[in-house]
């Protein structure tokens, strides 16, 4: 299809030039038709061979410089911005959008204005600026509605659904995808139809309807293949691979993802390569190929940092955390989790600000609606007054004037009181929202600290098991040695255990106090005569560790721990029916 378009446009340009040479009355002065033809040629190569697309775009620019064609310059800049987007050069894209701003008429609906809004929205999605992208997408939909461009309206709804899906707002995303699907059915645009079906399949997958999801993906893939859209085919392959991973068909899943990676590499699209690498990482992880999974996750992280896409960076760190945790490399797992949490917290913070702004915007709209109602009410009262006073105007001038003045003052007072009440309600509503957001932030911080505390407990347990293994090996090595040599080795092992246990416990105790700040004070308030050993055992019991795990952490025997637990129950005055761990968890 693109090849046909290319030759038709090229033929038109050649015929125009031959006519210019053969006709003495025609001067080879470029016109808008030549510019538009070159821009169409450039557009046909975008995302397939961006270098050729740029060559044709620059050729069009040379022609634009020789004629007065402002719309051609807008088209040229929009085309370059699109090329920058597919080259993952978002900074360059924004520079081009800034160059377009002075040339556009934002008050008149035009195809160029709609393209400006939609292309800028796409760039913002890649950078995680979902609020800005949503505003721009809605503007593009409004312009396209004025122009009655149905396929573009459907794609606008589809993009809105994608924005909500990226923020895990499944219901809103599904509503927009359904709206896009109903709109596209009125046209015969296979490409737009394929994109919408792919997103609808993703919704079904999230809802657990894998069979319906796979059907949507396969139908979408057929339409993309029919139109020769490589990018769409790669996207369909990725999505089908996700279903196959869930079905434990790792071989075919990995094959599909590798095919998708080849397509994105051919298109030199870093964003797509990054997505595929991350999905390959998790597919190999599920298949048990841990080293390959790590390599793909690291590659995904490097590419996502190159294009500065925070959502993709967060995904890569999350994959690394999952893999390292499974591998048992807790240090790297913790580093990956901290990096993920830092970026994710930033995205959540942005989302909270967006929600607050939405609440404020809705409150302002409601306030304006109420103001309109009040004004309408005032107008109705004034109208009634006028009709009532006309027959008696000459007889009751003085009394009527007094009544009108009284009613106006009363209405003014009521209006002011209503306005004050509305402002108070709006402020109260915003304060409640802020309080909820603060509470949510505190809960996120507590959850992170609990995870760090659990990691430290696991580290202590692992260290103690290692020391016990070393002690066992040294005791085994004692066979055949003199009593003095055995005693020296035994003393060395004891010193290592004592020093290590002390340092690790101090770190654990600090971390425990940061998470459960008032536990020790509450425990000592209930029972002031607890020993330091009993307090330590109580803290470990609060973490729901077993008697065997506590014995390993504290270098004590299981029977000693059981004895300490019994003393704790006695000092805390717990009956046989009361659970010690449950009691400590409530403190």
């Amino acid at each position: 299809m693109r090849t046909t378009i290319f030759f038709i446009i090229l033929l038109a340009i050649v015929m125009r030039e031959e006519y210019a040479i053969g006709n003495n009355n025609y001067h080879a002065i470029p016109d808008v038709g030549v510019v538009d033809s070159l821009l169409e040629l450039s557009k046909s190569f975008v995302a397939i061979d961006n270098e050729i697309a740029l060559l044709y775009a620059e050729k069009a620019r040379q022609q634009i410089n020789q004629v007065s064609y402002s719309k051609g310059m807008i088209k040229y800049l929009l085309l370059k911005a699109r090329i920058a987007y597919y080259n993952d050069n978002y900074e360059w894209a924004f520079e081009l959008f800034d160059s377009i701003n002075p040339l556009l008429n934002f008050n008149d609906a035009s195809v160029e204005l709609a393209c400006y809004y939609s292309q800028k929205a796409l760039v913002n999605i890649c950078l995680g600026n979902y609020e800005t992208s949503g505003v721009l997408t809605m503007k593009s939909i409004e312009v396209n509605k004025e122009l009655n461009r149905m396929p573009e309206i459907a794609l606008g709804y589809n993009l809105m659904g994608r924005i909500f899906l990226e923020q895990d707002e499944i219901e809103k995303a599904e509503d927009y995808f359904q709206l896009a699907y109903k709109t596209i059915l009125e046209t015969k645009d296979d490409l737009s139809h394929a994109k919408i079906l792919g997103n609808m399949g993703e919704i079904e997958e999230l809802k657990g309807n894998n069979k319906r999801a796979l059907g949507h993906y396969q139908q979408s893939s057929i339409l993309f293949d029919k139109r020769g859209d490589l990018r769409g085919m790669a996207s369909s392959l990725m999505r089908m691979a996700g279903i196959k991973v869930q079905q434990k068909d790792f071989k075919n899943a990995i094959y599909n993802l590798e095919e998708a990676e080849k397509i994105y590499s051919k298109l030199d699209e870093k964003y797509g390569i990054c997505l595929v690498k991350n999905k390959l990482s998790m597919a190999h992880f599920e298949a048990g190929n841990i080293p390959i999974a790590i390599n793909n996750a690291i590659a995904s992280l490097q590419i996502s940092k190159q294009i500065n896409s925070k959502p993709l960076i967060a995904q890569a760190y999350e994959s690394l955390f999952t893999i390292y945790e499974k591998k048992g490399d807790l240090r790297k797992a913790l580093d990956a989790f901290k990096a993920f949490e830092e970026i994710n917290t930033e995205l959540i913070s942005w989302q909270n600000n967006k929600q607050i702004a939405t609440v404020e915007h809705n409150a302002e709209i409601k306030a304006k609606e109420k103001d309109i109602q009040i004004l309408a009410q005032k107008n109705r009262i004034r109208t009634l007054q006028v009709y009532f006073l006309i027959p008696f105007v000459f007889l009751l001038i003085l009394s009527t004037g007094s009544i009108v003045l009284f009613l106006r003052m009363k209405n003014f007072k009521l209006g002011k009181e209503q306005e004050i009440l509305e402002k108070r309600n709006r402020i109260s509503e915003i304060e409640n929202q802020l309080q909820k957001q603060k509470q949510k932030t505190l809960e996120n911080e507590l959850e992170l600290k609990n995870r760090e505390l659990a990691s430290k407990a696991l580290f202590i347990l692992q260290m103690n098991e290692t020391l016990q293994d070393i002690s066992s090996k040294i005791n085994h090595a004692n066979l055949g040695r003199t009593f003095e040599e055995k005693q020296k080795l035994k003393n060395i092992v004891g010193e290592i255990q004592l020093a290590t246990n002390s340092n690790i416990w101090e770190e654990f105790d600090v971390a425990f106090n940061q998470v459960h700040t008032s536990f020790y004070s509450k425990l000592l308030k209930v029972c002031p005569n607890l020993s330091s050993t009993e307090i330590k055992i109580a803290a470990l019991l609060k973490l729901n560790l077993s008697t065997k795990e506590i014995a390993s952490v504290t270098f004590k025997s299981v029977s000693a721990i059981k004895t300490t637990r019994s003393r704790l129950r006695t000092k805390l005055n717990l009956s046989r029916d009361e659970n010690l761990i449950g009691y400590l968890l409530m403190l």
Side-chain angles (χ1 to χ4, degrees):
M1 184 68 180
R2 287 191 176 94
T3 306
T4 305
I5 294 171
F6 169 78
F7 280 114
I8 291 172
I9 296 173
L10 187 61
L11 181 61
I13 294 172
V14 171
M15 289 178 67
R16 180 181 293 272
E17 290 178 353
E18 288 178 353
Y19 178 76
I21 295 170
N23 193 337
N24 294 328
N25 297 323
Y26 184 89
H27 299 284
I29 300 174
D31 58 22
V32 296
V34 174
V35 173
D36 288 339
S37 297
L38 288 168
L39 290 174
E40 282 298 322
L41 267 175
S42 175
K43 187 177 178 181
S44 67
F45 282 98
V46 173
I48 299 172
D49 193 327
N50 288 331
E51 291 185 6
I52 295 177
L54 276 173
L55 286 173
Y56 279 112
E58 292 306 322
K59 182 68 175 176
R61 172 63 185 270
Q62 294 173 7
Q63 302 289 319
I64 292 169
N65 289 338
Q66 300 178 43
V67 294
S68 179
Y69 186 28
S70 59
K71 185 178 285 189
M73 179 57 72
I74 295 171
K75 290 180 179 179
Y76 161 77
L77 292 171
L78 282 171
L79 187 57
K80 289 195 69 174
R82 188 177 177 191
I83 294 170
Y85 164 73
Y86 282 113
N87 280 336
D88 304 300
N89 193 339
Y90 306 128
E91 185 177 347
W92 181 33
F94 280 120
E95 289 176 2
L96 290 164
F97 290 136
D98 290 339
S99 301
I100 296 169
N101 283 340
L103 304 175
L104 273 173
N105 185 349
F106 289 91
N107 296 320
D108 291 335
S110 65
V111 174
E112 291 72 30
L113 182 59
C115 291
Y116 169 83
Y117 285 136
S118 60
Q119 286 185 205
K120 200 169 183 180
L122 284 169
V123 176
N124 276 282
I125 287 178
C126 294
L127 296 175
N129 303 328
Y130 300 123
E131 182 182 17
T132 303
S133 180
V135 172
L136 290 166
T137 303
M138 290 307 299
K139 287 182 178 180
S140 74
I141 292 172
E142 290 172 5
V143 174
N144 282 318
K145 281 183 177 179
E146 289 188 49
L147 300 172
N148 196 31
R149 302 172 76 212
M150 299 306 293
E152 286 73 18
I153 294 170
L155 287 176
Y157 290 139
N158 186 61
L159 188 56
M160 283 300 299
R162 194 74 229 171
I163 292 167
F164 282 113
L165 189 59
E166 291 290 340
Q167 300 171 85
D168 296 324
E169 296 187 42
I170 309 301
E171 292 182 2
K172 290 183 180 179
E174 185 175 14
D175 289 342
Y176 272 108
F177 289 145
Q178 291 289 349
L179 187 58
Y181 186 73
K182 290 178 182 177
T183 306
I184 205 61
L185 287 178
E186 300 176 16
T187 72
K188 295 183 179 179
D189 191 327
D190 290 339
L191 193 56
S192 301
H193 195 176
K195 292 177 181 178
I196 296 165
L197 280 172
N199 286 325
M200 290 176 68
E202 195 165 338
I203 291 291
E204 294 296 338
E205 185 178 348
L206 290 170
K207 290 163 66 175
N209 303 326
N210 287 346
K211 187 175 181 180
R212 292 184 65 182
L214 190 59
H216 284 315
Y217 294 155
Q218 289 171 343
Q219 190 177 355
S220 173
S221 179
I222 291 169
L223 290 172
F224 279 129
D225 187 44
K226 178 180 176 182
R227 291 296 302 271
D229 189 293
L230 295 176
R231 184 170 287 96
M233 291 168 64
S235 176
S236 297
L237 285 168
M238 272 200 301
R239 286 165 164 165
M240 287 189 284
I243 299 290
K244 290 176 181 177
V245 168
Q246 294 180 46
Q247 296 172 343
K248 308 298 182 184
D249 186 2
F250 303 119
K251 182 178 179 181
N252 284 323
I254 292 169
Y255 174 77
N256 282 356
L257 289 170
E258 287 175 347
E259 289 298 309
E261 184 181 6
K262 289 177 184 177
I263 294 173
Y264 282 127
S265 298
K266 182 179 179 180
L267 298 172
D268 193 27
E269 186 174 320
K270 292 183 176 62
Y271 192 92
I273 295 171
C274 185
L275 280 173
V276 174
K277 287 284 187 186
N278 194 62
K279 291 184 181 294
L280 266 173
S281 170
M282 298 316 296
H284 280 292
F285 169 73
E286 293 290 341
N289 306 323
I290 302 300
I292 301 176
I294 292 174
N295 290 338
N296 278 287
I298 292 173
S300 175
L301 178 62
Q302 291 171 344
I303 298 169
S304 61
K305 285 183 177 180
Q306 287 177 14
I307 63 178
N308 193 29
S309 177
K310 291 179 181 177
L312 292 181
I313 294 172
Q315 285 180 21
Y317 275 125
E318 187 178 19
S319 298
L320 284 170
F321 163 70
T322 303
I323 297 167
Y324 283 133
E325 186 181 39
K326 179 72 174 180
K327 187 183 178 184
D329 195 338
L330 299 180
R331 178 64 60 188
K332 289 184 178 180
L334 185 59
D335 291 341
F337 178 78
K338 286 180 179 178
F340 162 74
E341 193 67 17
E342 182 180 350
I343 297 172
N344 197 44
T345 301
E346 184 178 344
L347 293 173
I348 291 172
S349 174
W350 171 86
Q351 175 68 8
N352 293 340
N353 292 335
K354 186 200 79 170
Q355 291 175 351
I356 293 170
T358 303
V359 170
E360 291 175 344
H361 178 66
N362 291 336
E364 289 175 0
I365 291 174
K366 289 181 180 178
K368 289 178 180 178
E369 289 175 350
K370 289 180 180 179
D371 288 341
I372 291 170
Q373 291 175 0
I374 292 169
L375 288 172
Q377 184 179 2
K378 288 180 180 180
N379 288 332
R380 285 196 297 271
I381 292 171
R382 288 172 183 172
T383 302
L384 288 172
Q385 290 172 354
V386 169
Y387 283 113
F388 179 77
L389 292 173
I390 287 175
F392 308 99
V393 66
F394 296 105
L395 300 174
L396 303 169
I397 292 177
L398 293 177
S399 58
T400 302
S402 299
I403 294 170
V404 170
L405 181 61
F406 171 78
L407 289 174
R408 285 184 176 179
M409 291 297 294
K410 185 177 180 180
N411 288 335
F412 178 78
K413 185 178 180 181
L414 287 172
K416 284 293 182 183
E417 290 175 352
Q418 184 80 7
E419 185 179 353
I420 291 169
L421 180 61
E422 289 168 0
K423 286 182 178 178
R424 287 177 180 173
N425 289 338
R426 186 164 67 252
I427 291 169
S428 176
E429 185 179 357
I430 292 171
E431 286 176 349
N432 289 336
Q433 289 293 329
L434 286 172
Q435 188 63 32
K436 288 180 182 178
Q437 298 308 322
K438 288 180 182 178
Q439 183 65 29
K440 187 174 180 181
T441 302
L442 290 173
E443 288 174 359
N444 288 337
E445 291 176 355
L446 180 60
E447 183 182 354
L448 177 59
K449 289 179 179 179
N450 276 323
R451 290 181 183 177
E452 291 177 348
L453 186 58
S455 296
K456 286 185 180 292
L458 288 171
F459 180 74
I460 292 172
L461 183 61
Q462 186 180 21
M463 180 62 73
N464 288 345
E465 289 175 352
T466 303
L467 290 174
Q468 288 174 2
D469 184 55
I470 293 171
S471 299
S472 176
K473 289 179 179 177
I474 292 176
N475 289 332
H476 182 71
N478 274 338
L479 298 176
R481 295 183 182 273
T482 65
F483 175 79
E484 292 182 354
E485 290 174 337
K486 290 180 179 179
Q487 193 64 33
K488 286 181 180 180
L489 290 172
K490 185 176 182 180
N491 291 339
I492 291 170
V493 171
E495 289 175 3
I496 292 172
Q497 290 178 336
L498 180 62
T500 305
N501 187 38
S502 176
N503 292 335
I504 293 173
W505 176 257
E506 286 177 4
E507 292 180 7
F508 174 81
D509 197 44
V510 170
F512 184 89
N513 270 315
Q514 290 176 349
V515 178
H516 305 287
T517 53
S518 59
F519 175 73
Y520 289 143
S521 60
K522 288 180 180 178
L523 183 64
L524 292 173
K525 186 176 180 180
V526 174
C527 188
N529 61 341
L530 291 175
S531 66
S532 60
T533 301
E534 291 167 342
I535 293 171
K536 183 186 295 186
I537 299 304
L540 293 169
L541 285 170
K542 186 172 178 64
L543 292 178
N544 206 16
L545 296 180
S546 66
T547 302
K548 185 177 179 181
E549 288 172 336
I550 294 173
S552 177
V553 170
T554 56
F555 292 102
K556 293 182 181 294
S557 66
V558 172
S559 59
I561 300 303
K562 289 181 178 179
T563 303
T564 305
R565 288 183 63 158
S566 178
R567 287 203 305 272
L568 268 173
R569 291 183 64 87
T570 302
K571 290 184 178 182
L572 293 172
N573 295 322
L574 297 178
S575 65
R576 290 183 177 180
D577 297 331
E578 292 182 280
N579 185 275
L580 175 59
I581 295 176
Y583 178 84
L584 293 173
L585 288 172
M586 294 298 292
L587 285 180

